[in-house]
Amino acid sequence: MPSKTDNRVGVQVEDTKVCVVMVGLPARGKSYIAQIAQRYLQWLSIPAQTFNVGNYRRNDAPQPTADFFDTNNAEGERKRRAAAEAAVADMLAWFRGGGVVAILDATNSTKERRRWINDICVTSGIEVLFVESKCDEQEIIMANIRDVKATSPDYRGQDPEAAAQDFLDRISKYEKIYKTIDEDGDEDEYTYLKIMNIGKQVIINRIQDYLQSRIVYYLMNLHIRPRSVWLSRHGESMYNLDGRIGGDTMLSPRGEQYARKLPDLVRESVGDDRPLTVWTSTLKRTIATARFLPLHYNQLQWKALDELDSGVCDGLTYQEIKDRFPDDFAARDEDKYNYRYRGGESYRDVVIRLEPIIMELERSEDILIVTHQAVLRCIYAYFMKKDQAKSPWMNVPLHTLIKLTPRAYGTEEIRYEANIPAVSTWRGKGSTAKHENPTPESL
Amino acid sequence: MPSKTDNRVGVQVEDTKVCVVMVGLPARGKSYIAQIAQRYLQWLSIPAQTFNVGNYRRNDAPQPTADFFDTNNAEGERKRRAAAEAAVADMLAWFRGGGVVAILDATNSTKERRRWINDICVTSGIEVLFVESKCDEQEIIMANIRDVKATSPDYRGQDPEAAAQDFLDRISKYEKIYKTIDEDGDEDEYTYLKIMNIGKQVIINRIQDYLQSRIVYYLMNLHIRPRSVWLSRHGESMYNLDGRIGGDTMLSPRGEQYARKLPDLVRESVGDDRPLTVWTSTLKRTIATARFLPLHYNQLQWKALDELDSGVCDGLTYQEIKDRFPDDFAARDEDKYNYRYRGGESYRDVVIRLEPIIMELERSEDILIVTHQAVLRCIYAYFMKKDQAKSPWMNVPLHTLIKLTPRAYGTEEIRYEANIPAVSTWRGKGSTAKHENPTPESL
């Protein structure tokens, strides 16, 4: 037998450990980048954790003024150094416990600080990937400052104008000592990604392996232009009526009604003149559901959006599956995320094949996706940071349009119901082999 | 019905046309980059064509000496300008005929030349992506010079040493006028990819859309370290014996013999101490085939390497498919590359899901892939530039190890036969519904 088989099916991680070290002045979106990188990696089942040095510093100095960040303030310097050391110590402990990608969220704005972190990581067998966000567009910086003064615990309960002024002062303290990475050409041995003005230009230096390349490709595709993603399942299908899974059947009469109503729901949510691109799977029921949408919407079919392949169980009811494959039925209940249908797929497999879809979604503006229950659960889990153990059990009702809008600190959700009755296609864990009404916690 | 449905399933191209304009001094690997970018795009069914200005110049000046390239040589200047104009004119005509990505292979080493090409393209509604290869590592440059003097028609029949010296002189003429892209900061409105020292550092500026991003991601993953890719089908399976397609059966006794012999074939080809990574599909017959390989080889299972999904025909013989689905049987013979099994996949679908595999292969060192007939055909077609109409009909015998070694001007192939008998799983176009002995042209 081979010494080591990685059956994570496509996510090659092996023994790599990576410390993503954020670099940049305050208000350059570092925490936003850290947060979505962590979300993306966790969605791919890669253990990822952010260590925010500011959170450690707040233990000692909960609401410091700008003076605290002056390099001539010895007390401030000492506390900030102690915070960095505490964050790094926790991070190393986390790596020893099986962590794969840690994100060290701090300004790390001097060469000395970067050298210190680099040397600690290298000594511990951890690869270092510096990710700098460099930005000189005032509009972007001011938007970040508004965000910080509204959400940072450093300014909680303070006058917004005074907070903004103090924060600008703090930034100017950092500007005095800040060096962009490899500014003097003596940091060119580091692996780094430098993102200028939110992706207008990126510099990638010495990327070594697969995991680094994945993180870099993801981060270079991000943008912050406002946009939304709309999700809908296909209208009720003939197989839904029979309680059968999979297949490639047409819409039921009520599913047809939903297809005719979908353009109204979309108009209500999107508005009239916002251009929308529509993605469907290659299966009849999603294409039919999208067919009454406005003619000027581009439509694309993606095989990667096809329903989870249930292999030998395709076309069966849950009762038939339970009767014919009782062990499989129980095993799937036990670990629905990892259970792979014989000759078919697991949720984990679906996530892997959806990864290019997520990458495209991150690159894109407004998109409407008409797809299937399991696929929608996986996409929803990405945006809403849902736990993999729970997301396969989530109820996604038929005949409902979901609007997701990514924001700096999470994703907003609005649901639009078509008010067209449909069967339930939801089944609870450990329940009878029947579709049933969803329980409150599945919503 | 929607105004436009792109059922290329995942390859979104829409109306984009891109001119990839190579930039760089001679002997920086521009033609190599152009060639593999074209191969990659064509493999993805994106119409791509390279226009090499040197080939146009050779009509007028077949074997010029270095003086020809001196900017003070008015006659040389005129002929070189005429060659560039002819190449660009042909390129524009090719775009009008439906071309999607043209690669303009020339030094384009001055700002004026780049401005001229940019303006022509923009006027014609063509996006411009400059791709510069910048290299100051003498070892890489000298390897390229050796290559040029051995293969370039400019030096055919000449003394190798004199050719090398003349080529060095030619490079020095270009060095006098060469400006790396955006050197003065006044080309920052261009979309460009600058590759330094074969990927050690890359700068990506203003990437706008999907197609550009795909080209850039592909090119930034390339390396030129020597390596090989080994391909093998699984050993003969129980379904192979029955003439059935698909399924997830175990190896036949002869297939088992092949699994036991594979380590010897690999040792013969790879040698003893070269580390190898083994990729299999998630199906039993590939995992079983790889299970006697040395313990120190890493093994990874990829769902993307699973056999082409034959949907409702899974587990049938060709005779049964012909009897039950005669129209499908005929349609598949008619256009095997695009035919999608009901509820299953086409070769085109397989290529789309193999794209991340190809990306990983390009990033990787030595890899052995144990996979299935259709998947192997697609990977082979990528490396060997096989026509899509022909590759699905290619004979890939069981119990044979194929070694592919990418070189600057194509891929070398060696086959190692295990000399263990196996059934044929090949069937000719328009033939009876039986597996048969391959014809010479299928090899």
Side-chain angles (χ1 to χ4, degrees):
Chain A
M1 284 296 293
S3 60
K4 184 172 145 193
T5 297
D6 184 336
N7 58 8
R8 279 167 293 184
V9 193
V11 181
Q12 282 185 80
V13 172
E14 299 175 18
D15 301 325
T16 317
K17 292 178 192 297
V18 179
C19 177
V20 175
V21 180
M22 301 304 304
V23 173
L25 291 170
R28 264 61 181 184
K30 293 187 301 298
S31 295
Y32 175 68
I33 292 172
Q35 171 216 312
I36 50 173
Q38 178 181 320
R39 182 186 71 178
Y40 168 72
L41 292 163
Q42 287 179 342
W43 182 73
L44 286 171
S45 301
I46 297 170
Q49 187 61 53
T50 302
F51 295 85
N52 180 303
V53 174
N55 287 342
Y56 286 81
R57 183 260 302 151
R58 271 184 281 276
N59 290 335
D60 255 4
Q63 293 200 317
T65 59
D67 289 339
F68 180 84
F69 299 92
D70 195 310
T71 46
N72 296 322
N73 180 336
E75 177 69 1
E77 277 284 276
R78 193 189 56 74
K79 287 187 174 175
R80 286 159 58 212
R81 174 85 190 190
E85 283 168 357
V88 168
D90 280 2
M91 180 182 84
L92 293 176
W94 178 81
F95 272 124
R96 285 192 295 273
V100 175
V101 181
I103 305 165
L104 189 65
D105 184 11
T107 54
N108 300 312
S109 48
T110 65
K111 281 199 260 187
E112 294 69 30
R113 178 56 59 94
R114 295 193 285 265
R115 168 64 53 199
W116 175 69
I117 296 165
N118 182 74
D119 291 353
I120 289 176
C121 287
V122 168
T123 309
S124 309
I126 297 160
E127 297 174 5
V128 179
L129 166 61
F130 290 99
V131 173
E132 175 165 355
S133 176
K134 191 164 183 282
C135 181
D136 53 20
E137 289 189 4
Q138 284 305 313
E139 207 179 316
I140 300 171
I141 298 169
M142 288 315 294
N144 276 326
I145 289 174
R146 277 192 297 275
D147 215 42
V148 168
K149 89 179 178 214
T151 61
S152 169
D154 284 357
Y155 295 111
R156 192 166 295 147
Q158 297 188 20
D159 170 63
E161 284 322 299
Q165 188 52 53
D166 183 83
F167 194 54
L168 282 169
D169 287 353
R170 187 196 294 189
I171 294 173
S172 71
K173 307 282 185 203
Y174 277 103
E175 278 169 344
K176 282 182 204 153
I177 51 159
Y178 165 67
K179 282 241 181 214
T180 179
I181 197 159
D182 205 19
E183 182 171 344
D184 304 330
D186 57 355
E187 296 183 302
D188 67 341
E189 293 304 311
Y190 292 153
T191 295
Y192 65 79
L193 166 68
K194 195 187 289 206
I195 305 173
M196 260 91 87
N197 290 324
I198 321 288
K200 205 164 282 173
Q201 184 176 92
V202 298
I203 300 179
I204 300 163
N205 198 60
R206 294 188 185 270
I207 293 301
Q208 300 160 45
D209 63 27
Y210 180 73
L211 187 53
Q212 292 178 359
S213 137
R214 285 286 280 264
I215 297 167
V216 164
Y217 187 55
Y218 178 72
L219 292 179
M220 65 184 256
N221 276 319
L222 296 175
H223 68 79
I224 51 159
R225 296 181 294 280
R227 57 81 181 259
S228 296
V229 174
W230 286 264
L231 302 174
S232 172
R233 294 177 62 187
H234 53 80
E236 184 186 69
S237 74
M238 298 308 287
Y239 258 24
N240 290 151
L241 286 182
D242 298 344
R244 296 188 181 282
I245 66 171
D248 190 15
T249 56
M250 280 306 297
L251 300 180
S252 74
R254 294 190 301 198
E256 193 67 17
Q257 259 186 284
Y258 178 68
R260 290 182 186 278
K261 185 141 188 200
L262 185 58
D264 297 337
L265 288 186
V266 169
R267 195 171 307 117
E268 184 189 339
S269 174
V270 183
D272 268 332
D273 33 84
R274 211 162 147 187
L276 202 62
T277 299
V278 181
W279 294 353
T280 66
S281 75
T282 66
L283 298 171
K284 295 191 193 102
R285 56 195 184 277
T286 63
I287 297 166
T289 303
R291 77 189 194 280
F292 299 113
L293 289 165
L295 290 173
H296 60 278
Y297 289 178
N298 254 339
Q299 292 213 7
L300 275 169
Q301 294 170 20
W302 294 81
K303 183 124 187 112
L305 290 172
D306 282 2
E307 182 54 311
L308 185 149
D309 182 352
S310 45
V312 293
C313 295
D314 189 78
L316 304 183
T317 65
Y318 280 127
Q319 190 59 54
E320 288 167 345
I321 297 172
K322 195 175 180 181
D323 293 345
R324 294 194 209 171
F325 308 101
D327 293 349
D328 287 77
F329 190 80
R332 190 161 197 256
D333 256 21
E334 195 53 49
D335 184 358
K336 195 172 177 185
Y337 188 76
N338 290 298
Y339 171 79
R340 178 182 287 154
Y341 278 110
R342 297 190 197 185
E345 292 178 301
S346 63
Y347 271 84
R348 183 181 289 268
D349 293 333
V350 173
V351 161
I352 301 293
R353 76 158 139 98
L354 283 175
E355 203 264 353
I357 295 276
I358 292 297
M359 207 64 93
E360 277 317 294
L361 274 177
E362 286 297 353
R363 292 184 49 76
S364 302
E365 315 273 319
D366 294 334
I367 303 277
L368 163 60
I369 304 179
V370 183
T371 181
H372 306 266
Q373 181 165 256
V375 172
L376 202 153
R377 281 172 175 153
C378 294
I379 297 173
Y380 185 90
Y382 169 78
F383 282 105
M384 304 304 284
K385 261 188 116 163
K386 287 278 168 194
D387 191 314
Q388 287 167 345
K390 287 185 190 147
S391 61
W393 298 102
M394 196 179 76
N395 178 44
V396 190
L398 287 164
H399 302 176
T400 304
L401 179 67
I402 301 173
K403 177 186 182 184
L404 300 179
T405 307
R407 302 276 187 211
Y409 290 90
T411 301
E412 282 176 16
E413 173 176 359
I414 306 175
R415 293 195 180 204
Y416 301 84
E417 292 186 17
N419 297 317
I420 297 167
V423 296
S424 165
T425 58
W426 183 84
R427 191 185 73 77
K429 182 169 178 166
S431 70
T432 55
K434 274 192 189 149
H435 288 121
E436 54 194 327
N437 289 328
T439 56
E441 58 272 26
S442 68
L443 296 168
Chain B
M1 284 297 293
S3 60
K4 182 172 149 195
T5 297
D6 183 334
N7 58 8
R8 277 167 295 183
V9 192
V11 181
Q12 282 184 77
V13 172
E14 299 176 18
D15 300 325
T16 317
K17 291 179 193 296
V18 178
C19 178
V20 174
V21 181
M22 301 305 303
V23 174
L25 291 170
R28 263 64 180 182
K30 295 187 301 298
S31 295
Y32 175 66
I33 294 172
Q35 170 217 312
I36 50 174
Q38 177 181 320
R39 182 186 71 178
Y40 168 71
L41 292 163
Q42 288 179 342
W43 182 74
L44 287 170
S45 301
I46 297 170
Q49 188 61 52
T50 302
F51 295 85
N52 180 303
V53 174
N55 288 341
Y56 286 81
R57 183 261 302 152
R58 271 183 281 276
N59 290 336
D60 254 5
Q63 293 199 317
T65 60
D67 289 340
F68 179 85
F69 299 93
D70 195 311
T71 45
N72 296 321
N73 180 335
E75 177 69 2
E77 278 285 274
R78 192 187 59 71
K79 286 186 174 174
R80 287 159 58 212
R81 174 85 191 189
E85 284 169 357
V88 168
D90 280 1
M91 180 182 83
L92 294 175
W94 178 80
F95 272 123
R96 285 191 296 272
V100 175
V101 181
I103 305 165
L104 190 65
D105 183 12
T107 55
N108 300 312
S109 48
T110 66
K111 281 199 260 188
E112 294 68 32
R113 177 57 59 94
R114 295 194 284 265
R115 168 65 53 201
W116 174 69
I117 295 165
N118 183 75
D119 292 353
I120 289 177
C121 287
V122 168
T123 309
S124 309
I126 298 160
E127 297 175 4
V128 179
L129 166 61
F130 290 99
V131 173
E132 175 165 355
S133 176
K134 191 164 182 285
C135 181
D136 53 20
E137 289 189 3
Q138 283 306 312
E139 207 180 317
I140 300 171
I141 298 170
M142 287 316 293
N144 277 324
I145 289 175
R146 277 192 297 273
D147 215 42
V148 168
K149 91 180 178 212
T151 61
S152 168
D154 283 358
Y155 295 110
R156 192 165 294 147
Q158 297 187 19
D159 169 63
E161 284 322 298
Q165 188 51 54
D166 183 83
F167 194 53
L168 282 168
D169 287 353
R170 187 197 294 189
I171 294 172
S172 72
K173 307 284 184 202
Y174 277 103
E175 276 169 345
K176 283 185 202 151
I177 52 160
Y178 164 65
K179 282 240 181 218
T180 179
I181 197 159
D182 206 19
E183 183 171 343
D184 303 330
D186 57 355
E187 297 183 301
D188 68 341
E189 293 305 310
Y190 292 153
T191 295
Y192 65 79
L193 166 68
K194 195 188 288 206
I195 305 173
M196 260 91 87
N197 290 325
I198 323 287
K200 205 163 284 172
Q201 184 176 90
V202 298
I203 301 179
I204 300 164
N205 198 60
R206 293 187 186 269
I207 294 300
Q208 301 160 45
D209 62 28
Y210 180 73
L211 187 53
Q212 291 178 359
S213 136
R214 285 287 279 262
I215 298 168
V216 164
Y217 187 56
Y218 178 73
L219 292 180
M220 63 185 256
N221 276 319
L222 296 175
H223 68 79
I224 51 158
R225 295 181 296 281
R227 57 82 183 258
S228 296
V229 174
W230 286 264
L231 303 174
S232 172
R233 294 178 63 188
H234 51 82
E236 184 186 69
S237 74
M238 298 309 286
Y239 260 23
N240 289 153
L241 287 182
D242 298 344
R244 297 189 182 281
I245 66 171
D248 189 14
T249 56
M250 281 305 297
L251 300 180
S252 74
R254 294 190 301 197
E256 194 66 18
Q257 259 185 284
Y258 178 67
R260 290 182 186 277
K261 184 140 188 200
L262 185 58
D264 297 336
L265 289 186
V266 168
R267 195 170 309 119
E268 183 189 340
S269 175
V270 182
D272 268 331
D273 33 86
R274 212 161 146 187
L276 202 62
T277 300
V278 181
W279 295 352
T280 67
S281 76
T282 66
L283 298 171
K284 295 191 194 103
R285 55 195 186 276
T286 63
I287 297 167
T289 303
R291 78 188 193 282
F292 299 113
L293 288 165
L295 289 172
H296 61 275
Y297 289 180
N298 255 339
Q299 292 213 6
L300 276 168
Q301 295 170 19
W302 293 81
K303 183 121 187 114
L305 289 173
D306 282 1
E307 182 54 311
L308 185 148
D309 182 353
S310 44
V312 295
C313 295
D314 188 76
L316 303 184
T317 64
Y318 281 128
Q319 190 59 52
E320 286 166 347
I321 297 172
K322 195 174 180 181
D323 293 345
R324 294 194 210 170
F325 308 101
D327 292 351
D328 288 78
F329 189 81
R332 189 159 198 256
D333 255 20
E334 193 55 48
D335 184 359
K336 194 173 177 186
Y337 188 77
N338 290 297
Y339 171 79
R340 177 183 288 155
Y341 278 109
R342 298 190 197 185
E345 292 178 302
S346 64
Y347 270 84
R348 183 181 289 268
D349 294 333
V350 173
V351 161
I352 300 295
R353 75 159 140 98
L354 283 176
E355 204 264 353
I357 296 276
I358 291 296
M359 208 65 95
E360 278 315 295
L361 274 178
E362 287 296 355
R363 292 184 50 74
S364 302
E365 315 274 317
D366 293 334
I367 303 277
L368 163 61
I369 305 179
V370 182
T371 181
H372 306 266
Q373 180 165 255
V375 172
L376 202 155
R377 281 171 175 154
C378 294
I379 296 173
Y380 185 90
Y382 169 77
F383 282 105
M384 303 304 284
K385 262 189 116 165
K386 287 275 167 192
D387 190 315
Q388 288 166 344
K390 287 186 189 145
S391 61
W393 297 102
M394 196 180 75
N395 178 45
V396 190
L398 287 164
H399 301 176
T400 305
L401 179 66
I402 302 174
K403 177 185 181 185
L404 301 179
T405 306
R407 302 278 186 209
Y409 290 91
T411 302
E412 282 177 15
E413 174 177 357
I414 306 176
R415 294 197 178 201
Y416 301 83
E417 293 184 18
N419 297 316
I420 297 167
V423 296
S424 166
T425 58
W426 184 84
R427 192 185 73 76
K429 183 169 177 167
S431 70
T432 55
K434 276 193 189 146
H435 289 121
E436 55 194 324
N437 288 329
T439 56
E441 58 272 24
S442 68
L443 296 169

